[in-house]
Short mmCIF file of all heavy atoms in Angstrom, two decimals:
data_model
loop_
_atom_site.label_atom_id
_atom_site.label_comp_id
_atom_site.label_asym_id
_atom_site.label_seq_id
_atom_site.Cartn_x
_atom_site.Cartn_y
_atom_site.Cartn_z
N MET A 18 -36.04 -52.49 54.94
CA MET A 18 -36.92 -51.88 55.91
C MET A 18 -37.21 -50.44 55.48
O MET A 18 -36.29 -49.67 55.25
CB MET A 18 -36.22 -51.93 57.27
CG MET A 18 -37.00 -51.32 58.37
SD MET A 18 -36.19 -51.64 59.95
CE MET A 18 -37.60 -52.12 60.86
N PRO A 19 -38.48 -50.04 55.44
CA PRO A 19 -38.81 -48.69 54.99
C PRO A 19 -38.48 -47.66 56.06
O PRO A 19 -38.52 -47.94 57.25
CB PRO A 19 -40.31 -48.74 54.72
CG PRO A 19 -40.81 -49.87 55.55
CD PRO A 19 -39.67 -50.86 55.64
N GLU A 20 -38.15 -46.46 55.61
CA GLU A 20 -37.85 -45.39 56.55
C GLU A 20 -39.15 -44.81 57.10
O GLU A 20 -40.12 -44.65 56.37
CB GLU A 20 -37.06 -44.29 55.85
CG GLU A 20 -35.66 -44.71 55.47
CD GLU A 20 -34.88 -43.55 54.89
OE1 GLU A 20 -35.15 -42.41 55.28
OE2 GLU A 20 -34.02 -43.81 54.05
N THR A 21 -39.16 -44.49 58.40
CA THR A 21 -40.36 -43.89 59.03
C THR A 21 -39.93 -42.64 59.76
O THR A 21 -38.82 -42.55 60.28
CB THR A 21 -41.00 -44.85 60.05
OG1 THR A 21 -40.04 -45.19 61.03
CG2 THR A 21 -41.49 -46.12 59.37
N ASP A 22 -40.83 -41.67 59.79
CA ASP A 22 -40.53 -40.47 60.57
C ASP A 22 -40.95 -40.68 62.02
O ASP A 22 -41.66 -41.62 62.34
CB ASP A 22 -41.21 -39.24 59.96
CG ASP A 22 -42.72 -39.37 59.90
OD1 ASP A 22 -43.23 -40.47 60.16
OD2 ASP A 22 -43.37 -38.36 59.61
N THR A 23 -40.52 -39.80 62.89
CA THR A 23 -40.77 -39.99 64.32
C THR A 23 -42.24 -39.84 64.68
O THR A 23 -42.71 -40.48 65.62
CB THR A 23 -39.96 -38.98 65.16
OG1 THR A 23 -40.28 -37.66 64.73
CG2 THR A 23 -38.48 -39.24 65.00
N GLU A 24 -43.02 -39.03 63.98
CA GLU A 24 -44.43 -38.86 64.32
C GLU A 24 -45.23 -40.11 64.02
O GLU A 24 -46.22 -40.38 64.68
CB GLU A 24 -45.00 -37.65 63.58
CG GLU A 24 -44.50 -36.35 64.14
CD GLU A 24 -45.24 -35.15 63.57
OE1 GLU A 24 -46.38 -35.33 63.13
OE2 GLU A 24 -44.67 -34.06 63.60
N SER A 25 -44.84 -40.89 63.04
CA SER A 25 -45.60 -42.10 62.75
C SER A 25 -45.32 -43.17 63.79
O SER A 25 -46.09 -44.12 63.91
CB SER A 25 -45.25 -42.61 61.35
OG SER A 25 -43.89 -43.01 61.31
N LEU A 26 -44.23 -43.06 64.56
CA LEU A 26 -43.93 -44.01 65.61
C LEU A 26 -44.75 -43.76 66.86
O LEU A 26 -44.95 -44.67 67.66
CB LEU A 26 -42.44 -43.97 65.95
CG LEU A 26 -41.49 -44.41 64.85
CD1 LEU A 26 -40.05 -44.21 65.31
CD2 LEU A 26 -41.73 -45.85 64.46
N ILE A 27 -45.22 -42.52 67.05
CA ILE A 27 -46.02 -42.19 68.23
C ILE A 27 -47.47 -42.56 67.94
O ILE A 27 -48.09 -42.04 67.03
CB ILE A 27 -45.91 -40.69 68.57
CG1 ILE A 27 -44.47 -40.32 68.88
CG2 ILE A 27 -46.81 -40.35 69.75
CD1 ILE A 27 -44.25 -38.84 69.06
N ARG A 28 -48.00 -43.47 68.73
CA ARG A 28 -49.40 -43.87 68.57
C ARG A 28 -50.08 -43.70 69.92
O ARG A 28 -49.73 -44.35 70.89
CB ARG A 28 -49.50 -45.31 68.11
CG ARG A 28 -48.91 -45.51 66.75
CD ARG A 28 -48.97 -46.94 66.35
NE ARG A 28 -48.17 -47.09 65.13
CZ ARG A 28 -48.52 -47.83 64.12
NH1 ARG A 28 -49.63 -48.52 64.16
NH2 ARG A 28 -47.77 -47.91 63.06
N THR A 29 -51.05 -42.81 69.98
CA THR A 29 -51.77 -42.56 71.21
C THR A 29 -53.26 -42.74 70.98
O THR A 29 -53.75 -42.65 69.85
CB THR A 29 -51.53 -41.12 71.73
OG1 THR A 29 -52.01 -40.21 70.75
CG2 THR A 29 -50.07 -40.89 72.01
N VAL A 30 -53.97 -43.01 72.04
CA VAL A 30 -55.42 -43.15 71.95
C VAL A 30 -56.06 -41.77 71.90
O VAL A 30 -57.00 -41.55 71.16
CB VAL A 30 -55.95 -43.95 73.16
CG1 VAL A 30 -57.47 -44.03 73.14
CG2 VAL A 30 -55.34 -45.34 73.17
N THR A 31 -55.54 -40.85 72.71
CA THR A 31 -56.08 -39.49 72.72
C THR A 31 -55.18 -38.58 71.91
O THR A 31 -53.97 -38.80 71.84
CB THR A 31 -56.17 -38.95 74.16
OG1 THR A 31 -54.88 -39.01 74.75
CG2 THR A 31 -57.12 -39.78 75.00
N PRO A 32 -55.75 -37.56 71.30
CA PRO A 32 -54.91 -36.65 70.53
C PRO A 32 -54.01 -35.82 71.44
O PRO A 32 -54.33 -35.57 72.60
CB PRO A 32 -55.92 -35.75 69.81
CG PRO A 32 -57.15 -35.84 70.62
CD PRO A 32 -57.16 -37.20 71.24
N ILE A 33 -52.87 -35.42 70.93
CA ILE A 33 -51.94 -34.60 71.69
C ILE A 33 -52.53 -33.20 71.83
O ILE A 33 -52.94 -32.59 70.85
CB ILE A 33 -50.57 -34.56 70.99
CG1 ILE A 33 -49.98 -35.97 70.94
CG2 ILE A 33 -49.63 -33.61 71.71
CD1 ILE A 33 -48.71 -36.07 70.13
N THR A 34 -52.58 -32.70 73.08
CA THR A 34 -53.18 -31.39 73.33
C THR A 34 -52.11 -30.31 73.23
O THR A 34 -50.93 -30.57 73.35
CB THR A 34 -53.83 -31.33 74.72
OG1 THR A 34 -52.84 -31.64 75.68
CG2 THR A 34 -54.97 -32.34 74.83
N SER A 35 -52.59 -29.09 73.05
CA SER A 35 -51.66 -27.97 72.98
C SER A 35 -51.08 -27.68 74.35
O SER A 35 -51.64 -28.03 75.38
CB SER A 35 -52.37 -26.73 72.44
OG SER A 35 -53.36 -26.32 73.35
N LYS A 36 -49.95 -26.99 74.40
CA LYS A 36 -49.26 -26.71 75.66
C LYS A 36 -49.79 -25.48 76.38
O LYS A 36 -49.51 -25.28 77.54
CB LYS A 36 -47.75 -26.54 75.41
CG LYS A 36 -47.09 -27.76 74.84
CD LYS A 36 -47.07 -28.88 75.85
CE LYS A 36 -46.38 -30.09 75.26
NZ LYS A 36 -46.58 -31.29 76.01
N GLU A 37 -50.52 -24.62 75.71
CA GLU A 37 -50.98 -23.40 76.37
C GLU A 37 -52.23 -23.67 77.20
O GLU A 37 -53.03 -24.54 76.91
CB GLU A 37 -51.23 -22.29 75.36
CG GLU A 37 -52.47 -22.48 74.51
CD GLU A 37 -52.66 -21.34 73.53
OE1 GLU A 37 -51.69 -21.00 72.83
OE2 GLU A 37 -53.77 -20.81 73.48
N THR A 38 -52.38 -22.90 78.28
CA THR A 38 -53.51 -23.06 79.19
C THR A 38 -54.73 -22.38 78.60
O THR A 38 -54.65 -21.26 78.10
CB THR A 38 -53.16 -22.43 80.55
OG1 THR A 38 -51.94 -22.98 81.01
CG2 THR A 38 -54.23 -22.71 81.57
N SER A 39 -55.87 -23.04 78.71
CA SER A 39 -57.09 -22.48 78.14
C SER A 39 -57.63 -21.37 79.05
O SER A 39 -57.31 -21.28 80.23
CB SER A 39 -58.15 -23.57 77.98
OG SER A 39 -58.60 -23.99 79.25
N LEU A 40 -58.48 -20.54 78.48
CA LEU A 40 -59.07 -19.42 79.23
C LEU A 40 -59.94 -19.95 80.37
O LEU A 40 -59.94 -19.39 81.47
CB LEU A 40 -59.90 -18.54 78.29
CG LEU A 40 -60.58 -17.34 78.93
CD1 LEU A 40 -59.54 -16.40 79.51
CD2 LEU A 40 -61.44 -16.62 77.92
N GLY A 41 -60.64 -21.04 80.16
CA GLY A 41 -61.48 -21.63 81.21
C GLY A 41 -60.67 -22.06 82.41
O GLY A 41 -61.08 -21.86 83.55
N ASN A 42 -59.51 -22.67 82.16
CA ASN A 42 -58.64 -23.08 83.27
C ASN A 42 -58.08 -21.88 84.01
O ASN A 42 -57.95 -21.92 85.24
CB ASN A 42 -57.50 -23.95 82.75
CG ASN A 42 -57.92 -25.37 82.49
OD1 ASN A 42 -58.97 -25.80 82.95
ND2 ASN A 42 -57.12 -26.09 81.73
N LYS A 43 -57.76 -20.82 83.31
CA LYS A 43 -57.24 -19.62 83.96
C LYS A 43 -58.31 -19.00 84.86
O LYS A 43 -58.03 -18.57 85.98
CB LYS A 43 -56.78 -18.60 82.93
CG LYS A 43 -55.51 -19.02 82.21
CD LYS A 43 -55.10 -17.98 81.19
CE LYS A 43 -53.87 -18.41 80.43
NZ LYS A 43 -53.47 -17.44 79.41
N ILE A 44 -59.55 -18.95 84.38
CA ILE A 44 -60.65 -18.39 85.18
C ILE A 44 -60.90 -19.26 86.40
O ILE A 44 -61.06 -18.75 87.52
CB ILE A 44 -61.92 -18.24 84.32
CG1 ILE A 44 -61.70 -17.17 83.25
CG2 ILE A 44 -63.13 -17.94 85.18
CD1 ILE A 44 -62.81 -17.08 82.23
N LEU A 45 -60.91 -20.58 86.22
CA LEU A 45 -61.14 -21.50 87.34
C LEU A 45 -60.03 -21.37 88.38
O LEU A 45 -60.29 -21.35 89.59
CB LEU A 45 -61.22 -22.94 86.83
CG LEU A 45 -61.56 -24.00 87.86
CD1 LEU A 45 -62.94 -23.75 88.45
CD2 LEU A 45 -61.49 -25.37 87.23
N ASP A 46 -58.79 -21.26 87.95
CA ASP A 46 -57.67 -21.07 88.87
C ASP A 46 -57.82 -19.78 89.67
O ASP A 46 -57.57 -19.75 90.87
CB ASP A 46 -56.34 -21.05 88.12
CG ASP A 46 -55.95 -22.41 87.58
OD1 ASP A 46 -56.55 -23.41 88.02
OD2 ASP A 46 -55.05 -22.46 86.72
N ALA A 47 -58.24 -18.71 89.00
CA ALA A 47 -58.41 -17.43 89.68
C ALA A 47 -59.55 -17.50 90.70
O ALA A 47 -59.41 -17.00 91.83
CB ALA A 47 -58.70 -16.33 88.66
N VAL A 48 -60.66 -18.14 90.35
CA VAL A 48 -61.80 -18.26 91.27
C VAL A 48 -61.41 -19.08 92.50
O VAL A 48 -61.72 -18.69 93.64
CB VAL A 48 -63.02 -18.88 90.55
CG1 VAL A 48 -64.10 -19.28 91.52
CG2 VAL A 48 -63.57 -17.91 89.52
N ILE A 49 -60.72 -20.18 92.30
CA ILE A 49 -60.30 -21.01 93.43
C ILE A 49 -59.30 -20.26 94.30
O ILE A 49 -59.38 -20.29 95.53
CB ILE A 49 -59.72 -22.34 92.93
CG1 ILE A 49 -60.83 -23.20 92.33
CG2 ILE A 49 -59.00 -23.09 94.05
CD1 ILE A 49 -60.35 -24.46 91.66
N GLY A 50 -58.35 -19.54 93.68
CA GLY A 50 -57.36 -18.79 94.44
C GLY A 50 -57.99 -17.67 95.25
O GLY A 50 -57.67 -17.49 96.43
N ILE A 51 -58.89 -16.91 94.64
CA ILE A 51 -59.56 -15.82 95.36
C ILE A 51 -60.44 -16.38 96.48
O ILE A 51 -60.47 -15.84 97.59
CB ILE A 51 -60.38 -14.95 94.38
CG1 ILE A 51 -59.42 -14.18 93.47
CG2 ILE A 51 -61.30 -14.00 95.12
CD1 ILE A 51 -60.09 -13.48 92.31
N GLY A 52 -61.14 -17.48 96.20
CA GLY A 52 -61.97 -18.11 97.23
C GLY A 52 -61.16 -18.58 98.42
O GLY A 52 -61.55 -18.40 99.58
N ALA A 53 -59.99 -19.17 98.16
CA ALA A 53 -59.13 -19.63 99.25
C ALA A 53 -58.62 -18.45 100.07
O ALA A 53 -58.56 -18.52 101.31
CB ALA A 53 -57.96 -20.43 98.69
N MET A 54 -58.28 -17.35 99.41
CA MET A 54 -57.81 -16.17 100.15
C MET A 54 -58.92 -15.58 101.00
O MET A 54 -58.68 -15.17 102.14
CB MET A 54 -57.26 -15.13 99.19
CG MET A 54 -55.89 -15.46 98.67
SD MET A 54 -55.09 -14.11 97.81
CE MET A 54 -56.08 -13.97 96.34
N VAL A 55 -60.14 -15.53 100.48
CA VAL A 55 -61.26 -14.98 101.23
C VAL A 55 -61.55 -15.84 102.46
O VAL A 55 -61.84 -15.33 103.54
CB VAL A 55 -62.51 -14.85 100.33
CG1 VAL A 55 -63.77 -14.61 101.14
CG2 VAL A 55 -62.31 -13.74 99.32
N LEU A 56 -61.44 -17.16 102.29
CA LEU A 56 -61.70 -18.05 103.43
C LEU A 56 -60.59 -17.99 104.48
O LEU A 56 -60.84 -18.09 105.67
CB LEU A 56 -61.87 -19.49 102.95
CG LEU A 56 -63.16 -19.80 102.21
CD1 LEU A 56 -63.14 -21.23 101.68
CD2 LEU A 56 -64.37 -19.60 103.11
N LEU A 57 -59.35 -17.84 104.04
CA LEU A 57 -58.23 -17.87 104.98
C LEU A 57 -57.87 -16.50 105.55
O LEU A 57 -57.15 -16.42 106.55
CB LEU A 57 -57.00 -18.48 104.29
CG LEU A 57 -57.13 -19.96 103.94
CD1 LEU A 57 -55.91 -20.41 103.17
CD2 LEU A 57 -57.34 -20.80 105.17
N LEU A 58 -58.36 -15.43 104.95
CA LEU A 58 -58.02 -14.09 105.42
C LEU A 58 -58.42 -13.84 106.87
O LEU A 58 -57.64 -13.26 107.63
CB LEU A 58 -58.63 -13.03 104.50
CG LEU A 58 -58.13 -11.61 104.68
CD1 LEU A 58 -56.64 -11.56 104.40
CD2 LEU A 58 -58.86 -10.67 103.74
N PRO A 59 -59.60 -14.27 107.34
CA PRO A 59 -59.94 -14.06 108.75
C PRO A 59 -59.01 -14.80 109.72
O PRO A 59 -58.90 -14.43 110.87
CB PRO A 59 -61.36 -14.60 108.88
CG PRO A 59 -61.91 -14.53 107.51
CD PRO A 59 -60.76 -14.78 106.59
N LEU A 60 -58.31 -15.83 109.26
CA LEU A 60 -57.39 -16.56 110.13
C LEU A 60 -56.04 -15.87 110.26
O LEU A 60 -55.26 -16.23 111.15
CB LEU A 60 -57.17 -17.98 109.57
CG LEU A 60 -58.35 -18.93 109.64
CD1 LEU A 60 -57.98 -20.25 108.99
CD2 LEU A 60 -58.76 -19.15 111.08
N ALA A 61 -55.75 -14.91 109.43
CA ALA A 61 -54.43 -14.27 109.40
C ALA A 61 -54.04 -13.66 110.76
O ALA A 61 -52.92 -13.89 111.21
CB ALA A 61 -54.37 -13.23 108.29
N PRO A 62 -54.91 -12.91 111.45
CA PRO A 62 -54.49 -12.35 112.75
C PRO A 62 -54.17 -13.44 113.78
O PRO A 62 -53.22 -13.30 114.56
CB PRO A 62 -55.69 -11.52 113.21
CG PRO A 62 -56.46 -11.25 111.97
CD PRO A 62 -56.22 -12.39 111.05
N PHE A 63 -54.93 -14.53 113.79
CA PHE A 63 -54.67 -15.61 114.72
C PHE A 63 -53.36 -16.32 114.41
O PHE A 63 -52.60 -16.66 115.31
CB PHE A 63 -55.83 -16.62 114.72
CG PHE A 63 -57.14 -16.02 115.15
CD1 PHE A 63 -58.14 -15.79 114.23
CD2 PHE A 63 -57.36 -15.67 116.47
CE1 PHE A 63 -59.34 -15.22 114.61
CE2 PHE A 63 -58.55 -15.11 116.87
CZ PHE A 63 -59.56 -14.88 115.94
N LEU A 64 -53.11 -16.54 113.13
CA LEU A 64 -51.85 -17.17 112.74
C LEU A 64 -50.66 -16.27 113.07
O LEU A 64 -49.62 -16.75 113.52
CB LEU A 64 -51.86 -17.51 111.25
CG LEU A 64 -52.84 -18.61 110.82
CD1 LEU A 64 -52.86 -18.74 109.31
CD2 LEU A 64 -52.50 -19.92 111.48
N LEU A 65 -50.83 -14.98 112.87
CA LEU A 65 -49.76 -14.04 113.21
C LEU A 65 -49.51 -14.02 114.71
O LEU A 65 -48.36 -14.03 115.16
CB LEU A 65 -50.12 -12.64 112.71
CG LEU A 65 -49.09 -11.56 112.99
CD1 LEU A 65 -47.81 -11.84 112.22
CD2 LEU A 65 -49.64 -10.20 112.62
N ALA A 66 -50.57 -14.02 115.51
CA ALA A 66 -50.42 -14.02 116.97
C ALA A 66 -49.77 -15.32 117.43
O ALA A 66 -48.90 -15.30 118.31
CB ALA A 66 -51.79 -13.84 117.63
N LEU A 67 -50.15 -16.45 116.85
CA LEU A 67 -49.56 -17.73 117.22
C LEU A 67 -48.08 -17.76 116.86
O LEU A 67 -47.25 -18.21 117.66
CB LEU A 67 -50.31 -18.87 116.51
CG LEU A 67 -49.83 -20.28 116.81
CD1 LEU A 67 -50.10 -20.62 118.26
CD2 LEU A 67 -50.53 -21.27 115.89
N TRP A 68 -47.74 -17.26 115.68
CA TRP A 68 -46.33 -17.22 115.27
C TRP A 68 -45.53 -16.31 116.20
O TRP A 68 -44.42 -16.66 116.61
CB TRP A 68 -46.24 -16.73 113.83
CG TRP A 68 -44.83 -16.54 113.39
CD1 TRP A 68 -43.96 -17.49 112.94
CD2 TRP A 68 -44.11 -15.29 113.36
NE1 TRP A 68 -42.76 -16.91 112.64
CE2 TRP A 68 -42.81 -15.57 112.88
CE3 TRP A 68 -44.44 -13.98 113.66
CZ2 TRP A 68 -41.85 -14.58 112.72
CZ3 TRP A 68 -43.48 -13.00 113.51
CH2 TRP A 68 -42.21 -13.30 113.04
N LEU A 69 -46.09 -15.15 116.53
CA LEU A 69 -45.40 -14.20 117.40
C LEU A 69 -45.20 -14.78 118.80
O LEU A 69 -44.12 -14.67 119.39
CB LEU A 69 -46.17 -12.89 117.47
CG LEU A 69 -45.50 -11.73 118.17
CD1 LEU A 69 -44.19 -11.37 117.49
CD2 LEU A 69 -46.42 -10.53 118.20
N TRP A 70 -46.22 -15.44 119.34
CA TRP A 70 -46.12 -16.05 120.66
C TRP A 70 -45.05 -17.14 120.67
O TRP A 70 -44.23 -17.21 121.59
CB TRP A 70 -47.48 -16.63 121.05
CG TRP A 70 -47.47 -17.26 122.42
CD1 TRP A 70 -47.49 -16.64 123.62
CD2 TRP A 70 -47.43 -18.66 122.69
NE1 TRP A 70 -47.46 -17.56 124.63
CE2 TRP A 70 -47.43 -18.81 124.09
CE3 TRP A 70 -47.41 -19.80 121.90
CZ2 TRP A 70 -47.39 -20.06 124.70
CZ3 TRP A 70 -47.38 -21.04 122.51
CH2 TRP A 70 -47.36 -21.15 123.90
N ASP A 71 -45.03 -17.97 119.64
CA ASP A 71 -44.03 -19.02 119.54
C ASP A 71 -42.63 -18.43 119.42
O ASP A 71 -41.68 -18.91 120.04
CB ASP A 71 -44.33 -19.93 118.35
CG ASP A 71 -43.34 -21.07 118.25
OD1 ASP A 71 -43.20 -21.82 119.23
OD2 ASP A 71 -42.71 -21.20 117.18
N ARG A 72 -42.52 -17.37 118.66
CA ARG A 72 -41.22 -16.72 118.47
C ARG A 72 -40.70 -16.13 119.79
O ARG A 72 -39.54 -16.26 120.13
CB ARG A 72 -41.38 -15.62 117.41
CG ARG A 72 -40.17 -14.85 117.08
CD ARG A 72 -39.34 -15.59 116.11
NE ARG A 72 -38.19 -14.78 115.75
CZ ARG A 72 -37.54 -14.90 114.64
NH1 ARG A 72 -37.92 -15.78 113.77
NH2 ARG A 72 -36.51 -14.15 114.39
N LEU A 73 -41.60 -15.49 120.53
CA LEU A 73 -41.20 -14.91 121.82
C LEU A 73 -40.86 -15.99 122.83
O LEU A 73 -39.92 -15.83 123.62
CB LEU A 73 -42.30 -14.00 122.35
CG LEU A 73 -42.52 -12.71 121.55
CD1 LEU A 73 -43.74 -11.97 122.09
CD2 LEU A 73 -41.29 -11.83 121.59
N GLN A 74 -41.60 -17.09 122.84
CA GLN A 74 -41.30 -18.20 123.75
C GLN A 74 -39.94 -18.80 123.43
O GLN A 74 -39.19 -19.17 124.33
CB GLN A 74 -42.39 -19.28 123.66
CG GLN A 74 -43.72 -18.85 124.20
CD GLN A 74 -43.66 -18.56 125.69
OE1 GLN A 74 -42.99 -19.26 126.43
NE2 GLN A 74 -44.37 -17.54 126.11
N ARG A 75 -39.64 -18.92 122.16
CA ARG A 75 -38.36 -19.49 121.75
C ARG A 75 -37.20 -18.59 122.18
O ARG A 75 -36.17 -19.05 122.62
CB ARG A 75 -38.34 -19.71 120.24
CG ARG A 75 -37.17 -20.53 119.78
CD ARG A 75 -37.24 -20.86 118.31
NE ARG A 75 -38.47 -21.59 118.04
CZ ARG A 75 -39.07 -21.61 116.84
NH1 ARG A 75 -38.56 -20.92 115.84
NH2 ARG A 75 -40.15 -22.32 116.64
N GLU A 76 -37.38 -17.26 122.05
CA GLU A 76 -36.31 -16.32 122.45
C GLU A 76 -36.12 -16.36 123.97
O GLU A 76 -35.00 -16.27 124.45
CB GLU A 76 -36.66 -14.91 121.99
CG GLU A 76 -36.47 -14.70 120.51
CD GLU A 76 -36.83 -13.29 120.07
OE1 GLU A 76 -37.17 -12.47 120.94
OE2 GLU A 76 -36.74 -13.03 118.86
N ASP A 77 -37.22 -16.49 124.74
CA ASP A 77 -37.11 -16.57 126.19
C ASP A 77 -36.37 -17.82 126.62
O ASP A 77 -35.54 -17.80 127.53
CB ASP A 77 -38.49 -16.54 126.85
CG ASP A 77 -39.11 -15.16 126.79
OD1 ASP A 77 -38.39 -14.19 126.52
OD2 ASP A 77 -40.35 -15.06 127.01
N SER A 78 -36.65 -18.95 125.98
CA SER A 78 -35.98 -20.20 126.37
C SER A 78 -34.50 -20.18 125.99
O SER A 78 -33.68 -20.76 126.67
CB SER A 78 -36.69 -21.39 125.74
OG SER A 78 -36.54 -21.38 124.35
N GLU A 79 -34.15 -19.50 124.89
CA GLU A 79 -32.76 -19.43 124.49
C GLU A 79 -31.97 -18.50 125.42
O GLU A 79 -30.82 -18.76 125.71
CB GLU A 79 -32.64 -18.94 123.03
CG GLU A 79 -33.08 -19.96 122.02
CD GLU A 79 -33.05 -19.42 120.60
OE1 GLU A 79 -32.72 -18.23 120.42
OE2 GLU A 79 -33.37 -20.17 119.67
N SER A 80 -32.59 -17.42 125.88
CA SER A 80 -31.88 -16.50 126.76
C SER A 80 -31.79 -17.03 128.19
O SER A 80 -30.92 -16.64 128.94
CB SER A 80 -32.56 -15.12 126.76
OG SER A 80 -33.86 -15.23 127.29
N GLY A 81 -32.70 -17.95 128.57
CA GLY A 81 -32.70 -18.49 129.91
C GLY A 81 -31.73 -19.63 130.11
O GLY A 81 -31.53 -20.09 131.22
N GLU A 82 -31.12 -20.11 129.08
CA GLU A 82 -30.21 -21.26 129.20
C GLU A 82 -28.92 -20.92 129.87
O GLU A 82 -28.36 -19.91 129.89
CB GLU A 82 -29.93 -21.86 127.82
CG GLU A 82 -31.11 -22.59 127.26
CD GLU A 82 -30.79 -23.19 125.88
OE1 GLU A 82 -29.68 -23.00 125.37
OE2 GLU A 82 -31.67 -23.83 125.34
#
């Protein structure tokens, strides 16, 4: 039986891609991240008020027991 190296045993249909992220993917990630922050930023005061209200209600119920 002839000797074979490990790379000749790997057979894929698509070529193996490099491990580093391309510049296009980095730009797309940044655009999506900034867009999500811009859309969610107006909700921040409401989320903070809801969290604070829930926190105060929880403290009241614990002290009333």
Side-chain angles (χ1 to χ4, degrees):
M18 179 172 226
E20 291 185 31
T21 58
D22 60 350
T23 56
E24 288 190 24
S25 65
L26 295 176
I27 299 173
R28 296 178 190 221
T29 61
V30 176
T31 57
I33 297 173
T34 58
S35 65
K36 298 292 181 194
E37 73 180 49
T38 307
S39 69
L40 180 62
N42 281 344
K43 289 180 182 178
I44 292 172
L45 185 62
D46 289 345
V48 168
I49 290 173
I51 291 170
M54 283 192 291
V55 166
L56 288 175
L57 293 175
L58 192 61
L60 291 177
F63 298 108
L64 292 174
L65 180 65
L67 181 66
W68 175 81
L69 188 61
W70 181 76
D71 182 56
R72 181 82 177 205
L73 291 174
Q74 292 296 322
R75 191 174 301 155
E76 285 179 3
D77 287 345
S78 67
E79 288 176 358
S80 64
E82 288 181 358

